[in-house]
Amino acid sequence: MAIDMSIPRVENCCCCCSLKCGVIALSIVFMVPTLLNLVLSFFVGGSEMDLSAARLINPSVFGFYGAELIEIGDTICDVVLIILCVILLVGAIKGKYLLCRIWIFGTIVFVTIMFICAIAGSAHQGMNNPEIAHELGFLWASIAFEEGLLIYGVILVNSFAEGLREREAALPAYGHVEEPSEPI
């Protein structure tokens, strides 16, 4: 009996385009708004306008702790996401298995950290200011949408990377483990 511990795989992106096209589109869909966030944070950062109001994607999960942490946390998140998107774009265009795997690992870590920060920020702010429930609802709705896209992206990129791996070496699927024939 075999145990399969792999990520689900898809044959194409959104039922209509190739995996390579979908992976390239995914990297661009996350890179462009994140670049705009980074640019806006530099132009808006010195003004009186609230930084979190200028964000297009990655709503600020750091907005509950103070202005300095907003700027530092959001900038770090944006830079990390841009680096991951560039790695994915290069990996998809050049067909590099390892770059796709780096993106998958980095994205899983990114999603986990953003989720933990959102929980901590919501708990902290919700305890001290219960009348901001609508802001927390918007934060969680936008985080759920973004993280959902990233999770689908992990499935998509994994399918693309596994296809590259299988074409290159005709190896068994990653994560497929056979049970030992003899008791241990």
Side-chain angles (χ1 to χ4, degrees):
M1 186 171 142
I3 300 171
D4 190 9
M5 300 178 359
S6 62
I7 297 173
R9 290 180 67 175
V10 294
E11 296 298 320
N12 50 29
C13 175
C14 302
C15 302
C16 63
C17 61
S18 69
L19 288 174
K20 182 175 184 175
C21 179
V23 169
I24 292 170
L26 177 78
S27 65
I28 292 170
V29 161
F30 277 100
M31 190 178 344
V32 170
T34 306
L35 279 169
L36 290 174
N37 280 344
L38 203 55
V39 169
L40 283 174
S41 70
F42 285 117
F43 288 119
V44 176
S47 72
E48 309 244 338
M49 185 178 182
D50 182 22
L51 277 176
S52 60
R55 300 189 61 76
L56 301 172
I57 194 170
N58 296 352
S60 180
V61 295
F62 303 101
F64 303 122
Y65 296 111
E68 295 83 20
L69 192 57
I70 292 173
E71 289 183 41
I72 294 168
D74 290 342
T75 302
I76 289 171
C77 287
D78 288 343
V79 169
V80 167
L81 195 56
I82 289 169
I83 291 169
L84 287 172
C85 289
V86 168
I87 288 172
L88 180 60
L89 189 61
V90 171
I93 291 172
K94 295 193 175 220
K96 298 292 184 183
Y97 172 79
L98 183 60
L99 293 179
C100 293
R101 282 288 172 203
I102 290 171
W103 183 87
I104 291 170
F105 177 76
T107 300
I108 291 171
V109 170
F110 181 81
V111 166
T112 304
I113 290 172
M114 292 302 290
F115 189 70
I116 291 169
C117 289
I119 290 172
S122 295
H124 175 72
Q125 190 63 18
M127 277 189 318
N128 299 329
N129 197 1
E131 58 271 356
I132 63 147
H134 65 283
E135 291 178 22
L136 291 176
F138 173 73
L139 173 75
W140 277 102
S142 54
I143 286 174
F145 179 74
E146 180 189 5
E147 306 306 316
L149 281 178
L150 283 171
I151 290 168
Y152 175 70
V154 167
I155 294 170
L156 183 70
V157 174
N158 178 64
S159 300
F160 177 70
E162 285 298 308
L164 289 174
R165 182 175 182 268
E166 290 167 359
R167 279 192 298 271
E168 287 177 3
L171 297 172
Y174 187 77
H176 185 76
V177 180
E178 296 287 331
E179 285 190 11
S181 58
E182 298 177 12
I184 298 178

